[in-house]
Every structure is written in C-alpha cells, then in structure tokens.
Amino acid sequence: MIKLAVTDAEILSCFPVLVQLRPKLVRGRFLKQVRQMQTEGFQMAFLQDEGRVVAVAGFRVSSNLFMGKNLYVDDLITDAEHRSKGYGEEMIAWLEAFARVQGCLVLHLDSGTQRQQAHKFYFAQGFPITSFHFSKPLVD
C-alpha cells in the first residue's frame, strides 16, 4: 500500500531509500528540509513491503501556462535491493491516479542524463522525452 509520509517517523523512514538517489542528503537535516519543502507544496509518498520502505516519490502539484495543472515528480526511487519487483510501476500508477484526482492534466519528471536504466523504465511506463531541461548554478 502506498501512502503519504505525514509523521516525522514516516518521513525519516524514507531517508535510507532517498539517499540512494540523492547522496548529498544529510540525515540530521533531512526532516527539517522536508518540512520546509512541505510549506512549498512538496509531498512524499512511500511504499512498504513487510514494514520496510522500498520505494519513495517526492512530488508537488502546481500550475503553469505551459501545462496547466500538473504533478511534477521531484524524486522517484526504488531501493536498490528491491528493483525489478514492480514497485516502481506501482508508484507511477499511484502518482498518476493521485494526479487525476487532483485535476492534473500532466504527470512529468526530469531524469539525469546518466540514468540510462531509469530512462528505460520511464519509456516503458509511457513517458516520452518532450523537452530538455537546462539549469545554471547560482552559487559555488
């Protein structure tokens, strides 16, 4: 069953999986960072198997002129020990259903160019490449 991480314990239980995608995360600052992001609309969903978090998705619902109301996936990761068991597909299906209930017109995400295995997964889930994403660091 997939549910939203609401309590401190639920949020912290997602850390071991999320750090696999975002290795610069610091456990001691993680909860405060997520709580701050939640004030900006961030939400986190997680999937457990036998009491252990095996997949996590961080996302936000927003609107823009380009897509209208949309759900953007900030983070999507399945624990390395639990890949190829259908958890990623289950999370994508949950995100799509959540987006539809929210009235979103688009579900979208970015994926680092080095993540070829993730790209294969996204293609298999029906995500075409629709644009390039450019970013410019503003601090050293």
Side-chain angles (χ1 to χ4, degrees), residues 2-5 41-45 57-62 69-73 90-107:
I2 296 173
K3 60 187 271 190
L4 292 173
F42 179 81
Q43 298 183 70
M44 192 167 16
F59 64 94
R60 58 192 77 233
V61 174
S62 64
K69 192 169 185 181
N70 64 85
L71 188 149
Y72 178 75
V73 180
E90 192 173 341
M91 186 63 79
I92 291 288
W94 186 92
L95 288 164
E96 184 175 332
F98 186 92
R100 289 180 187 279
V101 168
Q102 299 298 312
C104 295
L105 304 173
V106 179
L107 169 64

Side-chain angles (χ1 to χ4, degrees), residues 39-117:
T39 69
E40 301 165 354
F42 179 81
Q43 298 183 70
M44 192 167 16
F46 66 101
L47 172 61
Q48 289 182 310
D49 184 12
E50 297 182 6
R52 181 176 174 196
V53 174
V54 294
V56 178
F59 64 94
R60 58 192 77 233
V61 174
S62 64
S63 296
N64 59 35
L65 296 174
F66 173 58
M67 289 179 271
K69 192 169 185 181
N70 64 85
L71 188 149
Y72 178 75
V73 180
D74 293 47
D75 315 287
L76 179 61
I77 183 75
T78 298
D79 182 84
E81 295 177 20
H82 292 72
R83 294 203 177 123
S84 299
K85 295 181 180 178
Y87 298 130
E89 291 94 339
E90 192 173 341
M91 186 63 79
I92 291 288
W94 186 92
L95 288 164
E96 184 175 332
F98 186 92
R100 289 180 187 279
V101 168
Q102 299 298 312
C104 295
L105 304 173
V106 179
L107 169 64
H108 64 118
L109 55 84
D110 290 324
S111 182
T113 56
Q114 78 284 3
R115 300 190 69 229
Q116 287 85 15
Q117 289 302 109

